[in-house]
């Protein structure tokens, strides 16, 4: 049996495009259609420079190969796409022998996943080193703190005048504040494991948005939910996720001025942004976007957001985003912030869609989780 060439090419994981000696597309496989946002019907017979744009590396490299009949490669070429966002691909072009009708074969490898894996990896390394430092500090600080607190309590009890009592009480309260901060820092310490359960993300978001709406800062805030009803339950730690979205929602609220603003929470399933599971399987992702039309973040601040303790607020600790990113990373996901001054800020949380096993006993609530943990501060 001779299988059709198209069937074979469609099974290849790289994009493959065959052009004739004039650079017109003869054949392209499914991955090439995805990368170039086209279809066989559209692209066949069309010059490659019309598929990719005349000055595009895809066209120039192919032109050179057809001229010189020598193979060529180009690393990390940018492919602008109208619908699914731009991507980076490696390109290899080889001439086809004259005897077989001349032309060239182009192979395109999508680098997006590899690049995002690399970024995730270096982010993880960074967080791990913060974790080591934080765990060390927390440990050294916690012990003397409890000593100070105990001594201050004794002083408070034994104080003979009001002023001494108040001063001792102040020490106790301030020590508690440091303790809470240290606990928050401990989040980065390794060892705080997730407790994955079947989770309905929309339920988590609803609970968080209820808390956000009840915040006095939210008086003039309009909250919009755009939920994708096709999102199934996933395996995740609901209370940690709640913490993530609470931190993001609070940031949006705090960014608005007294006239308030619009907070949009949007969810969708994405097949385009897959992430690797711990066993190497590529999982589709769910994307939760928290968008505000607040003042936005200037570019010079945007670069510093990943650093714990970066804050522009007089009473901020600068841990909200770092903690959120930490828990998202622990879930195998990513968190990125896009912002432009004057337009607003969008924080995109991408989580691997590790599906929960279907629940055979529907009478038991499939999603049980604590109410979101509030951050003290
Ligand atoms: N939605 C947003 N709009 C504008 N600026 C933001 C937004 N989210 C974060 N930022 C900026 O990023 C900084 C860091 O945010 P992060 O949540 O980490 O700390 P924080 O809000 O300052 O303090 P806290 O620890 O109380 O959360 C903020 O101080 C603010 O300048
Ligand atoms: Mg914050």
């Amino acid at each position: 049996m001779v299988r059709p060439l198209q069937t074979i090419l469609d099974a290849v994981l790289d994009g493959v495009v065959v052009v004739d000696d004039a650079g017109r597309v003869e054949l392209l496989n499914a991955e090439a259609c995805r990368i170039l946002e086209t279809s066989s019907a559209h692209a066949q017979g069309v010059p490659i420079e019309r598929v990719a744009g005349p000055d595009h590396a895809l066209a120039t490299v192919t032109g050179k190969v057809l001229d010189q009949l020598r193979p060529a490669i180009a690393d990390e070429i940018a492919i602008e796409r109208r619908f699914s966002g731009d991507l980076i691909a490696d390109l290899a072009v080889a001439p086809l022998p004259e005897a077989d009708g001349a032309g060239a074969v182009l192979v395109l490898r999508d680098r997006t996943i590899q690049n995002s894996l690399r970024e995730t990896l270096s982010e993880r390394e960074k967080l791990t080193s913060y974790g080591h430092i934080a765990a060390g500090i927390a440990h050294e600080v916690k012990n003397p703190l409890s000593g100070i607190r105990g001594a201050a309590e004794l002083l408070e009890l034994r104080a003979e005048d009001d002023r001494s009592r108040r001063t001792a009480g102040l020490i106790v309260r301030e020590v508690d504040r440091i303790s809470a901060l240290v606990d928050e820092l401990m989040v980065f310490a390794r060892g705080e494991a997730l407790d994955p359960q079947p989770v309905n993300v929309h339920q988590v978001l609803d609970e968080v948005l209820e808390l956000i709406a009840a915040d006095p800062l939210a008086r003039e805030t309009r909250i919009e939910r755009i939920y994708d009803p096709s999102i199934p339950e996933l395996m995740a730690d609901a209370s940690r996720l709640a913490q993530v979205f609470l931190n993001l929602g609070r940031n949006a609220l705090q960014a608005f001025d007294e006239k308030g603003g619009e907070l949009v929470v949007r969810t969708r399933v994405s097949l385009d942004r897959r992430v690797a599971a711990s066993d190497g399987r590529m999982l589709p992702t769910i994307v939760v976007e928290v968008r505000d039309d607040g003042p936005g973040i200037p570019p010079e601040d945007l670069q510093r957001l990943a650093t714990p303790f970066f804050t522009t607020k007089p009473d901020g600790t600068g841990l909200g985003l770092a903690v959120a990113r930490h828990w998202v990373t622990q879930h195998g996901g990513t968190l990125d912030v896009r912002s432009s001054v004057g337009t607003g800020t969008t924080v995109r949380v991408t989580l691997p869609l590790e599906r929960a096993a279907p629940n055979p006993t529907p009478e038991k609530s499939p999603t049980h989780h604590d109410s979101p943990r509030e951050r003290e501060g």
Side-chain angles (χ1 to χ4, degrees):
M1 184 179 89
V2 180
R3 292 178 196 274
L5 181 59
Q6 184 73 47
T7 316
I8 298 169
L9 287 182
D10 282 348
V12 174
L13 291 178
D14 289 333
V16 180
V17 184
V18 180
V19 295
D20 65 13
D21 56 351
R24 285 184 301 252
V25 174
E26 272 182 1
L27 201 65
L28 75 175
N29 71 347
E31 175 68 357
C33 289
R34 185 189 72 84
I35 293 177
L36 298 170
E37 277 189 334
T38 184
S39 64
S40 284
H42 260 96
Q44 248 159 20
V46 175
I48 189 74
E49 61 266 23
R50 285 237 323 269
V51 176
D55 300 325
H56 197 277
L58 209 63
T60 51
V61 175
T62 306
K64 214 165 94 191
V65 171
L66 288 173
D67 267 0
Q68 302 175 354
L69 301 176
R70 271 202 306 269
I73 53 175
D75 283 337
E76 308 227 337
I77 62 171
I79 296 184
E80 286 176 20
R81 304 193 303 170
R82 252 196 302 168
F83 304 108
S84 339
D86 302 346
L87 59 76
I88 302 291
D90 290 341
L91 169 68
V93 186
L96 289 172
E98 196 96 41
D100 297 334
V105 56
L106 289 67
V107 176
L108 279 163
R109 180 165 296 172
D110 183 355
R111 287 291 295 260
T112 323
I113 292 166
Q114 230 171 329
N115 287 357
S116 85
L117 263 182
R118 204 168 45 204
E119 272 166 32
T120 311
L121 226 57
S122 75
E123 203 166 88
R124 237 171 244 184
E125 277 162 13
K126 224 165 31 187
L127 283 175
T128 310
S129 61
Y130 290 143
H132 284 308
I133 298 169
I137 295 176
H139 187 257
E140 292 307 309
V141 167
K142 271 294 242 226
N143 284 338
L145 273 185
S146 60
I148 295 172
R149 193 181 193 283
E153 270 179 332
L154 261 182
L155 279 179
E156 199 177 3
L157 277 176
R158 297 207 186 142
E160 280 168 8
D161 59 290
D162 238 21
R163 194 162 157 225
S164 312
R165 200 168 303 121
R166 276 205 309 274
T167 313
L170 182 73
I171 297 175
V172 172
R173 281 199 307 283
E174 290 297 290
V175 164
D176 286 345
R177 210 158 66 90
I178 302 174
S179 266
L181 186 68
V182 170
D183 285 340
E184 207 162 277
L185 258 182
M186 281 294 276
V187 157
F188 295 111
R190 291 189 305 165
E192 277 216 55
L194 295 177
D195 176 21
Q197 304 275 349
V199 169
N200 174 337
V201 186
H202 295 146
Q203 198 172 328
V204 174
L205 288 170
D206 281 345
E207 280 175 25
V208 167
L209 289 176
E210 212 170 294
L211 277 174
I212 294 285
D215 193 306
L217 278 178
R219 239 172 304 150
E220 301 299 328
T221 302
R222 292 175 305 287
I223 297 179
E224 194 186 343
R225 297 153 215 232
I226 309 177
Y227 288 172
D228 175 349
S230 72
I231 293 183
E233 287 198 326
L234 64 151
M235 289 306 287
D237 187 324
S239 71
R240 302 304 190 187
L241 286 189
Q243 173 82 77
V244 169
F245 299 123
L246 198 57
N247 290 3
L248 301 183
R250 288 235 170 93
N251 277 348
L253 282 191
Q254 290 163 354
F256 293 141
D257 58 16
E258 63 282 0
K259 289 203 287 296
E262 189 171 47
L263 172 64
V264 183
V265 177
R266 184 193 182 115
T267 64
R268 65 194 155 85
V269 177
S270 170
L271 294 174
D272 216 43
R273 298 170 61 89
R274 288 169 185 265
V275 297
S278 49
D279 57 4
R281 279 174 307 146
M282 293 309 289
L283 297 173
T285 51
I286 72 156
V287 179
V288 180
E289 272 175 5
V290 178
R291 192 173 78 214
D292 67 66
D293 58 358
I297 304 170
E300 63 272 21
D301 287 354
L302 210 49
Q303 289 170 3
R304 306 174 61 194
L305 290 188
T307 324
F309 299 114
F310 171 73
T311 182
T312 56
K313 300 169 192 170
D315 53 355
T317 54
L319 281 175
L321 275 175
V323 167
R325 181 173 270 123
H326 172 82
W327 288 123
V328 172
T329 311
Q330 291 284 303
H331 276 88
T334 58
L335 180 150
D336 59 274
V337 184
R338 288 177 185 203
S339 189
S340 60
V341 173
T343 316
T345 303
T346 302
V347 182
R348 182 160 60 187
V349 172
T350 304
L351 294 167
L353 183 46
E354 185 74 79
R355 276 166 197 268
N359 195 330
T361 51
E363 61 274 15
K364 265 209 320 208
S365 161
T367 314
H368 47 95
H369 55 260
D370 315 331
S371 61
R373 272 169 227 173
E374 291 264 359
R375 280 190 329 109
E376 294 160 36

Coordinates of all heavy atoms in Angstrom, one line a residue, residues 247 251 254 313 320 375, ligand 2:
N247 N -5.0 38.2 45.3 CA -3.9 39.2 45.2 C -4.0 40.0 43.9 O -3.7 41.2 44.0 CB -2.5 38.5 45.2 CG -2.2 37.9 46.6 OD1 -3.0 38.0 47.5 ND2 -1.0 37.3 46.7
N251 N -4.8 44.1 43.7 CA -3.9 45.0 43.0 C -4.7 45.9 42.1 O -4.5 47.1 42.0 CB -2.9 44.3 42.2 CG -1.7 43.9 43.1 OD1 -1.5 44.3 44.2 ND2 -0.8 43.0 42.5
Q254 N -6.6 48.5 44.1 CA -5.7 49.5 44.6 C -5.2 50.4 43.5 O -4.7 51.5 43.8 CB -4.6 48.8 45.4 CG -5.0 48.2 46.7 CD -4.0 47.2 47.2 OE1 -3.0 46.9 46.6 NE2 -4.3 46.6 48.4
K313 N 3.5 51.2 46.7 CA 2.5 51.7 47.6 C 3.1 52.0 49.0 O 3.9 51.2 49.4 CB 1.4 50.6 47.7 CG 0.8 50.3 46.4 CD -0.1 49.0 46.5 CE -0.4 48.6 45.0 NZ -1.0 47.2 45.0
G320 N 2.6 40.6 47.0 CA 1.4 40.1 46.4 C 1.6 39.3 45.1 O 1.2 38.2 44.9
R375 N -4.7 37.4 53.2 CA -3.3 37.7 53.6 C -3.4 38.8 54.7 O -4.2 39.7 54.6 CB -2.5 38.3 52.4 CG -2.0 37.1 51.6 CD -1.0 37.5 50.6 NE -1.2 38.8 50.0 CZ -0.4 39.8 50.2 NH1 0.6 39.6 51.0 NH2 -0.5 40.9 49.6
Ligands
LIG2 MG1 -0.6 43.7 45.8

